[in-house]
Amino acid sequence: MPNYLIRDGERVAQPAFRVLLYCDGSLNDPENAKGVLALFNLFLETYGEEAAWIAIADHERQLRPKKLSEKRIEDARSWLVTPNKSWPATCRIVGPLSDETHNIVVPAFRVDEYRMMYLDISVPDDPARALPFAEAATEIIQEMPVIACVMGFGFYLPQALESLVSWLPRGFERYRTAIEFMVHGATMGIRKTDEGYRWDESPELDPNAPADLQPGVPDIGWRTIVGAEFLDRLPNLKNALATKPEVSVEEAPKMTTITAGEAPIWGDIVSGEDISAYQAVAQALAPVRYPADIAYGSLFGNQYYEPEGRARIRAYLSRFD
């Protein structure tokens, strides 16, 4: 198993199993509220004994972590299903403060909205626990208005270290399947927006960018759920992946769920882990892969004018090619 990613001798990003979910609409929408509450309860049932802090923020509450308690959990449950929450609105639970890293550790739960509703659940990278958790989470997510979802091993960067996001990605150089971005970093490229320079001006700044940039799914994971708005741009995925029996494809009217093998792997190049299932999924999803030109300015902070940062992001996005 990997260790923390180290920067200047300090432990920065923690190995974790990650679930990154992006849904149409807001936290106030009944479908989202129901699904988020179910995921919140599943998280607490599975990892609640290891969680330590909770925070809720909206126009009436500041984002101040408080010790987790049954009373505060019940308050959070009530808040999640209460309509007319103001924007910005967020609910977060994290693990304790580590004596070694001086930062919080997983398990961590975070739900926010900005352009869309998005959620990050990062938990210990123990497959014996993560796999049944992922299966239960998938059943809930498949009832939600999914734009895209990616699950798999990766590195969790605590919110307090968000300023270091532009130092990432790093782990993928050895662990090829690692998901490394913070959940909100992908919101710019999943759907076109009329805000900021990235969609309107990026083709002018980068002469090699396609003339007509298109949104894409945030990454390729052990499990990748592709929402309906991407499916018209894809081939028949069952046919495209028919030569890879270890890859399962579950089709539904509003989404397709693709799983690259029975259990997630890190894709460790040192131990020679076989990532061919992930590569096959990446090839099948090529028309809807996350646009690199948008990633330069959003996925890991704004790296658009940093040649070294752009090179790392290009390598990260093409690691399955």
Side-chain angles (χ1 to χ4, degrees):
M1 290 292 186
N3 294 315
Y4 272 80
L5 297 181
I6 306 295
R7 180 181 182 271
D8 296 334
E10 299 291 333
R11 298 180 182 186
V12 173
Q14 182 183 7
F17 180 83
R18 306 190 65 197
V19 178
L20 306 181
L21 169 66
Y22 304 83
C23 286
D24 188 38
S26 77
L27 273 169
N28 292 321
D29 296 340
E31 278 186 296
N32 284 331
K34 179 181 178 182
V36 169
L37 179 61
L39 291 168
F40 180 85
N41 288 335
L42 175 66
F43 172 82
L44 289 172
E45 289 165 9
T46 312
Y47 297 102
E49 291 187 3
E50 298 152 68
W53 301 91
I54 187 169
I56 296 173
D58 54 25
H59 77 291
E60 295 179 350
R61 313 189 197 199
Q62 294 183 343
L63 190 64
R64 291 179 177 173
K66 299 178 180 179
K67 287 187 177 180
L68 193 65
S69 67
E70 284 301 321
K71 182 178 179 181
R72 287 173 178 145
I73 288 171
E74 287 306 314
D75 177 49
R77 287 183 174 124
S78 176
W79 182 86
L80 286 169
V81 297
T82 299
N84 302 319
K85 288 184 285 293
S86 63
W87 180 90
T90 185
C91 177
R92 304 179 188 183
I93 293 179
V94 294
L97 192 68
S98 166
D99 292 334
E100 295 180 343
T101 67
H102 307 294
N103 278 296
I104 58 95
V105 296
V106 298
F109 175 101
R110 170 184 178 178
V111 63
D112 293 79
E113 62 177 88
Y114 182 48
R115 308 181 184 99
M116 63 197 68
M117 193 211 80
Y118 56 89
L119 179 146
D120 178 347
I121 300 176
S122 294
V123 298
D125 61 334
D126 174 9
R129 300 174 69 197
L131 192 56
F133 176 81
E135 297 299 343
T138 298
E139 291 185 10
I140 297 167
I141 289 168
Q142 288 176 329
E143 298 298 319
M144 299 174 72
V146 175
I147 302 171
C149 177
V150 60
M151 302 183 189
F153 288 139
F155 293 96
Y156 169 76
L157 185 69
Q159 190 71 28
L161 298 181
E162 184 175 0
S163 62
L164 299 181
V165 69
S166 60
W167 178 75
L168 297 172
R170 301 282 176 170
F172 78 98
E173 294 170 352
R174 174 174 174 177
Y175 301 104
R176 304 302 278 176
T177 68
I179 302 165
E180 298 198 50
F181 56 91
M182 297 183 78
V183 61
H184 56 280
T187 58
M188 184 68 79
I190 290 178
R191 279 182 170 170
K192 284 192 176 184
T193 68
D194 56 5
E195 57 187 281
Y197 70 86
R198 295 172 182 85
W199 282 108
D200 295 340
E201 298 178 20
S202 287
E204 297 177 11
L205 294 173
D206 182 359
N208 296 318
D212 182 22
L213 291 174
Q214 293 296 320
V217 298
D219 208 344
I220 305 300
W222 163 67
R223 176 163 291 155
T224 309
I225 303 178
V226 182
E229 59 196 75
F230 295 112
L231 295 179
D232 287 346
R233 292 163 50 197
L234 290 169
N236 182 294
L237 292 173
K238 282 193 172 181
N239 291 341
L241 292 163
T243 61
K244 300 295 290 185
E246 66 271 36
V247 178
S248 71
V249 179
E250 181 182 349
E251 296 177 331
K254 295 183 179 180
M255 67 193 73
T256 296
T257 302
I258 309 165
T259 306
E262 292 185 359
I265 61 171
W266 280 99
D268 184 357
I269 63 172
V270 174
S271 63
E273 281 189 301
D274 180 11
I275 65 168
S276 61
Y278 290 73
Q279 291 171 321
V281 174
Q283 182 177 359
L285 296 182
V288 298
R289 297 270 291 277
Y290 199 86
D293 198 70
I294 305 303
Y296 297 152
S298 62
L299 199 58
F300 295 95
N302 189 351
Q303 296 288 307
Y304 206 94
Y305 300 101
E306 300 295 333
E308 187 272 338
R310 290 200 309 272
R312 272 188 287 109
I313 292 169
R314 274 196 307 274
Y316 177 81
L317 293 176
S318 63
R319 68 197 189 279
F320 298 122
D321 297 338

